[in-house]
Amino acid sequence: MHRSLIAAVAATALAAPLALTATGTANAAPRPPKTPVADFNGDGYADLAFSASYGPAGGKQNAGYVAVVPGSKNGPDRAHTRLIDRNTPGVPGEATEGETFGRELVVGDFDGDRYTDLVVVGDTEAKAVLLWGSKNGLTGASAEVTNNRYGYVSAGDFNGDGHQDLVTEAYPVHDNDPAVMTVSYGPFTRQGDPVKKQGVRVPAEHGLLKLVAGDMTGDGVDDLVVSDGDEDGPLPSRFWKGTRSGLSATSSRKLGPSRDGVVADVDGDGYGDFVTREVHGDGDTQYDDKGTVRVDYGSKNGPGATRSVKLTQDSPGVPGTGESGGPMTGGDDYHRGDHFGARLSAGDVNGDGYADIAVGIPGKDVTTGGKKAYDTGRVVLLKGAKSGLSGKGAQAFTQSTKGVPGVSETGDRFGAGGVLSDVNGDKKADLTVTAPEEDTTAQDVGAAWYLKGSGTGLTTSGSTSFGPAALGAPNERSYFGAWVGR
């Protein structure tokens, strides 16, 4: 019998968005957020799902595919990789040029059978595909779910009934159109139909950027943070509280402007904390940005009600120095700012009970072989503690770090994608980090690196790397790993 989802969660002690069913009164102790292991075959090892949304499929360029790599006691089991695209038996539709199947991936147990499922988002006009987990993993058996225009998707349990729900958004086509989020409540049927749907109207300002779910009030029900804005600049993020009857119809508070993020209990007080990248200014300003990670600590009144903390590469203990964008030496080309916090993932790497945060810095410049490589990328692990997230004991890794395979090269964007999850089943989260613009014999093929968790943090001992060719996929431009299922 396969392990239950809840048992797998407890075994890995990972902290990120999703609360388990809660009972008791409002005065009960807060319940830290939990996340289901991305365990598609129920064997207790976290599996990995990589997007290759610009890869070829069925002879169609930019059709896109997803690479699913099972976990094992030895880490990623590349020998049993499964490639899934629109032409895979059981997947609706067919490979279409330019669909970019896999541009966003969301995991969760949506039918309640205790196997993790995967939502795959493609073209903005196409429905998302819900791939069903099973004892054989993801096989192509699937259904379609409506993901609305532009298709940003997140998963959570917004009514606390123990079943995963999906929230999607619709971007207003015209200035006077309402922006609407749709919450589809699980469990879903095998045809992809939810138990019910709820429309939640949001202020029709510019358009939603990201949806981040997790229990930030400690009541056992997932809440939602929505970031908003466009190329002219961000607007305040908004917090919607989850309740036993579903997601609140209106936002209860505003937060600072942000982009994406995770929910995790970094200080061990039982409340999920909203960890995000703080953003300001228009598109050019954000392109040049050094990057800031903001922690809005959870409380019974939601995130940021009691305290917020900002961390940069110039904070005590954080490795490196923040750098802005600018012209490259000896040419007219322009490089990005560091973008500290462009990708965030949460998990307990050292097994101390506090969630740690992997911070992607895809715009980081690295000097290697006496030469400067621009936008090559870096990842920093910030460790959780009773006092909260800080630079104490932080670790940094690039492709030039001893023990990490590969070489830092201009434009790789190492750290642009990644996830913390217990791939080898030792109850410590491992880091899988990607560089979606890694070159091989072709440009922008992409690749992934696997670093194991340990009692002292991440270790390069036994680290591995692989790209599409190692998984049996075409060695062509695909931006492999631009998104990793989490």
Side-chain angles (χ1 to χ4, degrees):
M1 179 180 296
H2 68 274
R3 292 172 51 179
S4 74
L5 175 63
I6 294 177
V9 169
T12 54
L14 301 183
L18 174 65
L20 302 179
T21 304
T23 58
T25 68
N27 295 322
R31 297 168 181 262
K34 300 285 186 181
T35 186
V37 177
D39 185 3
F40 304 122
N41 59 7
D43 65 357
Y45 299 101
D47 304 319
L48 300 167
F50 300 95
S51 70
S53 56
Y54 286 88
K60 307 291 186 179
Q61 294 300 309
N62 302 328
Y65 64 88
V66 176
V68 182
V69 182
S72 74
K73 66 179 181 180
N74 297 316
D77 181 7
R78 297 182 302 183
H80 292 91
T81 296
R82 181 164 284 151
L83 305 178
I84 299 176
D85 60 40
R86 281 284 190 181
N87 287 350
T88 300
V91 177
E94 61 182 20
T96 304
E97 185 168 343
E99 182 185 350
T100 62
F101 182 76
R103 66 177 176 83
E104 188 175 4
L105 305 173
V106 178
V107 303
D109 177 14
F110 298 107
D111 58 355
D113 67 354
R114 298 179 178 176
Y115 293 104
T116 311
D117 311 309
L118 181 70
V119 176
V120 183
V121 179
D123 182 84
T124 58
E125 301 301 327
K127 290 183 177 181
V129 171
L130 204 173
L131 296 167
W132 301 116
S134 70
K135 66 180 181 179
N136 297 316
L138 301 178
T139 63
S142 57
E144 287 187 311
V145 290
T146 301
N147 55 293
N148 294 340
R149 188 173 174 85
Y150 291 101
Y152 293 114
V153 180
S154 188
D157 182 5
F158 301 112
N159 59 5
D161 66 352
H163 295 294
Q164 284 290 279
D165 314 315
L166 277 176
V167 58
T168 60
E169 61 93 359
Y171 189 95
V173 178
H174 305 291
D175 290 341
N176 59 348
D177 287 347
V180 178
M181 295 186 295
T182 300
V183 186
S184 299
Y185 291 93
F188 287 71
T189 68
R190 299 294 284 191
Q191 290 72 45
D193 297 320
V195 170
K196 64 176 181 177
K197 289 186 176 182
Q198 173 195 6
V200 178
R201 185 167 179 170
V202 299
E205 291 164 328
H206 291 289
L208 309 180
L209 293 175
K210 285 294 180 180
L211 311 169
V212 180
D215 181 9
M216 291 162 267
T217 59
D219 62 357
V221 182
D222 278 352
D223 313 301
L224 188 70
V225 174
V226 177
S227 57
D228 204 350
D230 64 8
E231 66 273 9
D232 294 327
L235 297 166
S237 297
R238 295 176 179 271
F239 171 75
W240 269 264
K241 181 174 172 52
T243 73
R244 294 294 167 181
S245 57
L247 196 66
S248 298
T250 57
S251 168
S252 61
R253 62 185 295 115
K254 290 184 179 181
L255 305 173
S258 65
R259 180 72 54 82
D260 207 357
V262 294
V263 176
D265 187 6
V266 299
D267 60 355
D269 66 353
Y271 295 103
D273 309 309
F274 177 52
V275 186
T276 187
R277 178 189 174 193
E278 184 171 271
V279 289
H280 296 284
D282 61 16
D284 290 339
T285 300
Q286 292 180 40
Y287 187 90
D288 289 340
D289 186 32
K290 297 178 182 180
T292 300
V293 170
R294 189 182 76 234
V295 185
D296 292 333
Y297 284 92
S299 71
K300 64 180 181 180
N301 295 316
T306 57
R307 61 174 175 145
S308 293
V309 173
K310 297 178 183 179
L311 295 166
T312 71
Q313 291 176 89
D314 300 310
S315 298
V318 179
T321 301
E323 297 175 311
S324 300
M328 297 182 186
T329 302
D332 297 327
D333 291 333
Y334 203 83
H335 69 92
R336 301 172 175 86
D338 283 350
H339 295 182
F340 181 79
R343 181 68 71 207
L344 299 166
S345 184
D348 185 1
V349 171
N350 54 12
D352 64 356
Y354 298 99
D356 308 309
I357 303 294
V359 181
I361 321 171
K364 190 67 180 175
D365 304 333
V366 175
T367 299
T368 176
K371 296 182 179 181
K372 195 166 190 176
Y374 295 94
D375 295 342
T376 184
R378 190 184 206 183
V379 64
V380 165
L381 181 72
L382 300 178
K383 296 177 181 177
K386 186 176 182 180
S387 57
L389 200 67
S390 72
K392 184 177 180 181
Q395 298 175 276
F397 303 90
T398 70
Q399 292 182 68
S400 297
T401 300
K402 184 178 180 180
V404 176
V407 178
S408 297
E409 298 173 316
T410 291
D412 284 347
R413 303 195 69 229
F414 182 85
V419 64
L420 286 171
S421 60
D422 185 11
V423 178
N424 62 4
D426 67 354
K427 301 183 182 180
K428 297 178 178 63
D430 312 308
L431 174 64
T432 305
V433 58
T434 63
E437 295 180 33
E438 172 81 4
D439 297 339
T440 58
T441 54
Q443 288 187 323
D444 302 331
V445 174
W449 286 257
Y450 170 74
L451 283 70
K452 292 185 291 187
S454 73
T456 57
L458 293 171
T459 175
T460 62
S461 176
S463 62
T464 60
S465 67
F466 51 89
L471 304 179
N475 185 42
E476 299 181 25
R477 174 181 174 268
S478 61
Y479 296 101
F480 176 88
W483 195 267
V484 185
R486 60 182 175 91

